[in-house]
Structures are given as C-alpha cells and as structure tokens.
Amino acid sequence: MIEQALAKMGLTDKEIKVYLAALELGKATVQEVSKKSGINRATTYVQLEQLVERGLVSIVDKDKKNIVVAERPQRIIDILENKKSNTKSVLPLI
C-alpha cells in the first residue's frame, strides 16, 4: 500500500526502494541504506537527493558521516492531501 502511495506521488522504483529501506532502518548511514535497498551507493545518493527535495528524508552530518532519517509515512498522506486540495482549488467548478 505504501508503495502505491509513493508511486502516486511520482516516485521512481529506485526512490521507493531507498525510502522504504531508510524508513525500515530508522537512522542509518548511506551505505546501510544502499545495502538494505539493493541500490548501489552512488545511485543511492542521487535518489536521496530527490527524496530530500520531496521532503521525505533528511540527511544530517554526524561524526563526519551522513545519517539518513526517513520522514514518517503520515508525511506521505499529508503531501498527497495537500496536492489534491491544490488541484481542486485551480480547477473550475462545474
């Protein structure tokens, strides 16, 4: 179900895998997320950049390592509801 919601938001398969791996791990290094998601580390960095832009993950520097923290799944619902209400406000009423 969460995969479908992420796909509705326009996430790619790789972004979905990386987000779900980060969510499952809690706080993790990029390498750990990469290993868990099955996506190579260089590609994981690219996917994480996209997820940061979408507000679904945060990356913090801790002891000279990048730590990935996924936003809670409720954030996905909030984004989808906001997108839905914005769409309704620009459509003409019939």
Side-chain angles (χ1 to χ4, degrees):
M1 176 160 157
I2 192 167
E3 290 92 347
Q4 292 171 337
L6 292 167
K8 282 185 181 181
M9 289 177 59
L11 271 68
T12 66
D13 289 340
K14 287 180 182 179
E15 288 171 332
I16 292 169
K17 287 179 184 178
V18 169
Y19 172 76
L20 292 176
L23 184 63
E24 190 173 325
L25 291 168
K27 293 180 181 178
T29 65
V30 175
Q31 184 172 354
E32 291 168 330
V33 173
S34 171
K35 203 176 274 189
K36 181 78 175 170
S37 67
I39 308 291
N40 75 53
R41 196 179 67 191
T43 303
T44 297
Y45 273 104
V46 173
Q47 305 311 310
L48 286 169
E49 287 177 21
Q50 297 299 315
L51 293 169
V52 167
E53 286 180 20
R54 294 176 184 268
L56 294 177
V57 299
S58 299
I59 299 176
V60 294
D61 184 41
K62 184 176 180 182
D63 299 326
K64 298 184 181 182
K65 287 190 175 187
N66 287 324
I67 303 297
V68 178
V69 181
E71 291 292 328
R72 57 188 170 68
Q74 180 62 42
R75 175 82 173 123
I76 298 165
I77 294 167
D78 295 343
I79 290 170
L80 287 172
E81 286 178 355
N82 189 22
K83 195 181 263 190
K84 183 179 176 181
S85 98
N86 286 342
T87 302
K88 283 182 179 179
S89 68
V90 297
L91 292 175
L93 297 175
I94 300 174

